Amino acid sequence: DVKVTQSSRYLVKRTGEKVFLECVQDMDHENMFWYRQDPGLGLRLIYFSYDVKMKEKGDIPEGYSVSREKKERFSLILESASTNQTSMYLCASSLPDRVRQPQHFGDGTRLSIL
Amino acid sequence: KNEVEQSPQNLTAQEGEFITINCSYSVGISALHWLQQHPGGGIVSLFMLSSGKKKHGRLIATINIQEKHSSLHITASHPRDSAVYICGVGTSYDKVIFGPGTSLSVIP
């Protein structure tokens, strides 16, 4: 089974801090994704990566950056955390066809910015 | 108008009831995904379909391409089916758009 592991289930940070969320997958998937999930808004794509060092902005990339130095690891960075970034963050991975292949999700990180 | 809509938003059912969750979309699609999210956050892929119907245990997913509509049915519902069910549309422009989810609670 595919395993997608996110480094923290819960995280509390202060405004202005630089925050790193880490995600690791063990199935050699080319695609990796970062989403945020807010009540009533569903899953919204922040960034997508289709290969090492390759990335593509999603629907809401403002205030975020990503890093993919190794195929199995995809990091989401909040450069200067703000309270409106309090949310559930979910990482996912998939085979190359991101539309016709299922995405495999991690358990999520519930991030609170105080 | 959102590109992917789900109804109902919330649903409470008695154990054993037949449940239907609906997904409608306004974009051209290549595939449609149904996901399940249990309390605590983890999301599991249930189905991917591009036509017709798929069945897995007590779960059935159908899609009508002409009407731009999909349904997820749960037969003989059980409290362990309580979760958020999310519809995701794999669009013809190489992007997946997710609906807001339907929160299901099955009461014993």
Side-chain angles (χ1 to χ4, degrees):
Chain A
D1 275 357
V2 177
K3 183 75 174 172
V4 178
T5 303
Q6 293 185 229
S7 52
S8 306
R9 291 299 305 274
Y10 300 93
L11 205 52
V12 180
K13 296 290 182 181
R14 298 215 171 265
T15 54
E17 281 193 67
K18 190 168 186 175
V19 180
F20 294 85
L21 302 183
E22 307 286 346
C23 175
V24 176
Q25 51 97 1
D26 66 359
M27 281 300 291
D28 203 36
H29 281 171
E30 287 77 6
N31 291 340
M32 295 190 76
F33 309 81
W34 274 108
Y35 294 95
R36 68 178 278 176
Q37 185 181 33
D38 299 289
L41 297 179
L43 290 163
R44 292 182 292 166
L45 182 65
I46 303 171
Y47 267 99
F48 161 63
S49 170
Y50 50 93
D51 202 349
V52 174
K53 297 189 188 295
M54 306 306 287
K55 62 187 179 186
E56 193 176 289
K57 289 182 181 179
D59 299 315
I60 50 164
E62 297 79 18
Y64 304 94
S65 62
V66 289
S67 172
R68 194 163 178 205
E69 297 296 318
K70 292 186 178 181
K71 191 174 185 180
E72 67 270 19
R73 186 180 296 270
F74 192 34
S75 303
L76 179 70
I77 303 148
L78 286 67
E79 297 290 344
S80 178
S82 64
T83 54
N84 63 11
Q85 292 177 310
T86 291
S87 187
M88 169 72 103
Y89 290 86
L90 288 138
C91 175
S93 72
S94 81
L95 290 168
D97 186 342
R98 60 172 159 164
V99 169
R100 282 168 288 271
Q101 290 289 341
Q103 293 184 25
H104 300 267
F105 286 83
D107 288 337
T109 295
R110 194 167 290 281
L111 176 65
S112 295
I113 307 295
L114 305 179
Chain B
K1 190 177 187 293
N2 294 328
E3 293 170 298
V4 181
E5 295 186 328
Q6 290 185 235
S7 63
Q9 186 176 344
N10 297 287
L11 180 57
T12 300
Q14 290 292 131
E15 183 173 356
E17 283 186 13
F18 180 85
I19 289 163
T20 297
I21 297 169
N22 298 296
C23 175
S24 58
Y25 52 91
S26 57
V27 294
I29 75 162
S30 296
L32 187 136
H33 302 261
W34 281 103
L35 312 173
Q36 179 191 57
Q37 184 175 30
H38 278 288
I43 294 176
V44 173
S45 178
L46 296 175
F47 293 103
M48 188 198 65
L49 64 167
S50 53
S51 64
K53 178 165 114 173
K54 284 192 175 180
K55 184 174 189 289
H56 184 253
R58 296 180 294 105
L59 302 178
I60 302 165
T62 64
I63 187 167
N64 185 317
I65 300 292
Q66 287 73 31
E67 294 187 4
K68 297 193 170 185
H69 181 269
S70 176
S71 293
L72 177 68
H73 305 286
I74 305 174
T75 62
S77 60
H78 190 276
R80 65 175 174 266
D81 297 326
S82 298
V84 174
Y85 293 84
I86 300 169
C87 167
V89 170
T91 69
S92 51
Y93 48 94
D94 199 33
K95 184 179 171 183
V96 179
I97 303 172
F98 294 97
T102 292
S103 179
L104 171 66
S105 179
V106 181
I107 300 169

